[in-house]
Amino acid sequence: MNPLQIIEDLQWLVEGHVLESDFDLSPYWCADLEQRLAKLRQDNQPLLDRIARTKSHFLGSYFEALFSFAIEQLTELKIIKEHFQIDQMGKTLGEVDMLVRLPTGEIHQFEIAIKFYLQRPDLAPNDWIGPNKNDSLHKKVTRARQHQLTLLSTSVGKQWLEQHNITSEVESNLLIFGRFYMALNNSRAIELWFAEEVLGGWIRASQFIQLQAYFSCFYVLQKPHWMSNPLEDANSTFFSRESAYNLVSLFLRDERPIHLFMLPSLGASKVSGKCIFVVPDHW
């Protein structure tokens, strides 16, 4: 992992890129938040140590470590416990991501996730799906609200709370961070997306060359750094027919969608860049 990119990913999290949120973190960031972030840019070892303790370096685990660090080091919230299982007769019913105490004493459960959803208008109304197509915003939200967020209200969940001397009511909250990607299925959609400041986009491999009129170079984003914009020292590829062909040819070996960050010109402000998934034609 790139240590400097980890700081950028933390900054991205703090900015609040949420797709679904029951809890507003913004009132609880420390008053000296910007100074703390600046200090981390000078000495990022505390953050690197936290990431290094993560057993898995998958995107989800990486984000959970970032979130844990952010809550512990950058907010006024106090973590009571995180990533603990609720068991019944030797069987695990589920896991609670995080339990926190507010400065007012209220206790909240956080169920967190990092997700990237591509729009499939033909699947409306549940038309936001993951790159692998097995996941969807509807499935994630439904599962979280019907299962994970109800764990502590079950009899065994209440028993766990009693055993840990938590007698006050616990409020459950879902926080899904990530990005939406609109479908770029024609030139009009591409023009509208190019003028849009926030949304990502997705396009089929055979249509990828159509983006050459809008961008001059692109970066291939590698997990787990799918969140923040890539740093200037990241390797970039000039957008040409040859580079487009080479990118699309990767699907001959691996059909997973490719995540890109694209710039109108090399050296342009990262704010002007756009995230995009290129998918096989049969996706």
Side-chain angles (χ1 to χ4, degrees):
M1 293 186 194
N2 185 328
L4 297 179
Q5 195 71 57
I6 294 174
I7 299 292
E8 296 304 311
D9 290 342
L10 179 65
Q11 175 74 55
W12 181 91
L13 187 161
V14 169
E15 290 170 358
H17 297 266
V18 291
L19 307 183
E20 184 95 7
S21 178
D22 301 332
F23 188 91
D24 183 9
L25 286 171
S26 59
Y28 300 99
W29 295 117
C30 294
D32 60 345
L33 173 63
E34 293 306 321
Q35 291 92 325
R36 294 188 184 209
L37 288 170
K39 184 177 179 181
L40 279 172
R41 287 190 168 86
Q42 296 298 318
D43 178 15
N44 56 22
Q45 198 58 50
L47 177 57
L48 298 184
D49 290 343
R50 178 63 185 86
I51 299 299
R53 294 201 303 271
T54 306
K55 295 180 180 179
S56 167
H57 290 295
F58 287 120
L59 176 58
S61 299
Y62 170 65
F63 178 76
E64 289 174 353
L66 282 178
F67 187 85
S68 176
F69 183 90
I71 296 299
E72 180 181 352
Q73 300 294 329
L74 305 177
T75 75
E76 298 174 350
L77 306 176
K78 179 178 177 55
I79 297 176
I80 299 173
K81 196 171 182 61
E82 52 187 328
H83 303 300
F84 59 94
Q85 295 179 336
I86 301 298
D87 300 320
Q88 183 178 37
M89 299 180 63
K91 180 181 179 181
T92 299
L93 300 183
E95 181 179 279
V96 174
D97 284 342
M98 183 178 288
L99 209 58
V100 302
R101 180 178 285 109
L102 276 57
T104 55
E106 299 171 19
I107 296 177
H108 285 248
Q109 173 193 351
F110 288 163
E111 171 68 19
I112 64 170
I114 177 73
K115 292 291 182 179
F116 300 87
Y117 288 121
L118 287 62
Q119 183 187 34
R120 277 284 299 271
D122 56 308
L123 300 179
N126 302 319
D127 53 349
W128 293 103
I129 65 175
N132 65 6
K133 296 192 293 186
N134 294 322
D135 184 23
S136 74
L137 179 61
H138 176 70
K139 286 182 180 179
K140 178 60 183 178
V141 171
T142 300
R143 173 67 177 171
R145 297 203 183 284
Q146 293 182 354
H147 183 63
Q148 286 97 331
L149 294 177
T150 65
L151 286 172
L152 295 179
S153 62
T154 63
S155 58
V156 288
K158 291 177 181 178
Q159 184 178 19
W160 185 95
L161 292 172
E162 291 176 2
Q163 291 173 347
H164 291 79
N165 299 315
I166 299 174
T167 57
S168 58
E169 185 177 349
V170 176
E171 184 170 338
S172 300
N173 305 272
L174 177 62
L175 294 93
I176 302 179
F177 290 74
R179 186 181 296 113
F180 288 123
Y181 296 74
M182 67 179 289
L184 308 179
N185 44 26
N186 55 58
S187 58
R188 178 57 178 162
I190 293 174
E191 290 176 2
L192 291 174
W193 170 71
F194 188 71
E196 168 65 51
E197 292 184 0
V198 180
L199 288 178
W202 71 268
I203 194 167
R204 299 191 188 280
S206 62
Q207 298 174 301
F208 179 57
I209 194 62
Q210 295 181 29
L211 297 179
Q212 187 181 27
Y214 302 88
F215 302 99
S216 68
C217 60
F218 59 82
Y219 302 78
V220 178
L221 299 178
Q222 303 291 342
K223 287 183 177 180
H225 300 305
W226 274 15
M227 291 173 269
S228 62
N229 295 343
L231 296 170
E232 293 292 345
D233 61 351
N235 293 326
S236 64
T237 301
F238 282 102
F239 202 132
S240 63
R241 286 194 173 275
E242 180 182 3
S243 64
Y245 173 80
N246 290 337
L247 181 75
V248 171
S249 68
L250 294 177
F251 291 124
L252 296 175
R253 302 190 300 272
D254 188 339
E255 292 194 336
R256 288 177 295 181
I258 300 170
H259 200 191
L260 305 179
F261 181 77
M262 309 187 71
L263 280 173
S265 61
L266 191 62
S269 168
K270 295 291 180 177
V271 177
S272 64
K274 308 281 280 185
C275 287
I276 183 170
F277 275 104
V278 182
V279 305
D281 282 358
H282 60 77
W283 186 84

